[in-house]
């Protein structure tokens, strides 16, 4: 069986809303990479807000042991965790955060070190950029052996 891929675009808010359905699949296709540092996670959120190009999340529809439909994250677990952590105020923007967008009346955005709740209160237009940031998603279908090979290649590795 081959692999079929269809492209989607999610908003950061969608990732947070789907957080309970992402991951937690019983059998990961490929070992998980080491967790990102807080700084790396904060830079990813910075990139989201500023509209910088992003690598797609790679997800697969599957069912868990209870038969519940889930989206297994094949590539991008740390990106998902960064979005969720920022949305839940467990992650702050980098200290040197620079907003590359339009501001109200030329206002200087000094949001470095802020949580999303703090950004919402002080700079609602910056928070809106996070909520509506577009994240490319590749939704793949195929058997686990083929998907394992695909994900390994994303990381420049050979399949295990």
């Amino acid at each position: 069986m081959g692999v079929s891929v269809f492209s989607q675009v999610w908003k950061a808010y969608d990732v947070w809303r789907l957080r309970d359905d992402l991951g937690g699949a019983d059998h990961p296709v490929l070992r998980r990479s080491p967790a990102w540092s807080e700084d790396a996670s904060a830079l990813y959120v910075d990139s989201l807000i500023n509209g910088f190009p992003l690598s797609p999340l790679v997800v697969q529809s599957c069912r868990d042991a209870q038969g519940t439909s889930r989206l297994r994250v094949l590539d991008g677990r740390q990106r998902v965790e960064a979005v969720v952590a920022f949305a839940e105020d467990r992650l702050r923007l980098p200290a040197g955060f620079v907003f590359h967008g339009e501001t109200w009346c030329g206002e200087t955005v000094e949001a470095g070190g802020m949580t999303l709740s703090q950004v919402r209160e002080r700079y609602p237009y910056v928070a809106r950029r996070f909520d509506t940031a577009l994240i490319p998603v590749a939704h793949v279908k195929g058997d686990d052996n083929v998907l394992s090979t695909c994900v390994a290649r994303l990381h420049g590795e050979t399949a295990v």
Side-chain angles (χ1 to χ4, degrees):
M1 174 180 190
V3 173
S4 61
V5 179
F6 61 96
S7 297
Q8 298 177 299
V9 179
W10 291 351
K11 294 180 180 163
Y13 175 78
D14 297 328
V15 172
W16 178 81
R17 187 177 48 80
L18 290 168
R19 69 194 176 283
D20 293 333
D21 291 329
L22 291 170
D26 302 309
H27 305 290
V29 171
L30 191 70
R31 71 187 178 284
R32 185 175 165 193
S33 303
W36 278 1
S37 68
E38 192 170 304
D39 289 343
S41 295
L43 284 174
Y44 180 74
V45 171
D46 179 322
S47 295
L48 273 174
I49 291 170
N50 281 305
F52 296 161
L54 304 168
S55 298
L57 300 177
V58 180
V59 300
Q60 172 196 28
S61 295
C62 62
R63 296 205 177 274
D64 64 17
Q66 292 74 36
T68 305
S69 181
R70 300 276 183 214
L71 287 170
R72 178 168 34 183
V73 178
L74 302 178
D75 187 51
R77 167 58 54 199
Q78 292 87 350
R79 287 170 268 161
V80 168
E81 289 174 355
V83 168
V84 171
F86 189 63
E88 295 178 349
D89 285 344
R90 294 182 287 112
L91 180 68
R92 296 175 177 277
L93 288 175
F97 174 78
V98 175
F99 182 61
H100 299 283
E102 286 197 35
T103 62
W104 287 346
C105 302
E107 171 182 44
T108 300
V109 173
E110 296 179 3
M114 288 185 170
T115 64
L116 181 56
S117 292
Q118 293 167 328
V119 172
R120 272 194 210 296
E121 186 176 313
R122 179 68 181 93
Y123 307 105
Y125 52 92
V126 176
R128 197 170 314 110
R129 285 277 295 266
F130 170 76
D131 292 335
T132 61
L134 300 179
I135 301 171
V137 178
H139 197 137
V140 299
K141 293 182 180 184
D143 67 48
D144 283 356
N145 290 333
V146 175
L147 292 176
S148 180
T149 299
C150 292
V151 173
R153 289 179 183 189
L154 285 171
H155 297 280
E157 304 168 357
T158 56
V160 226

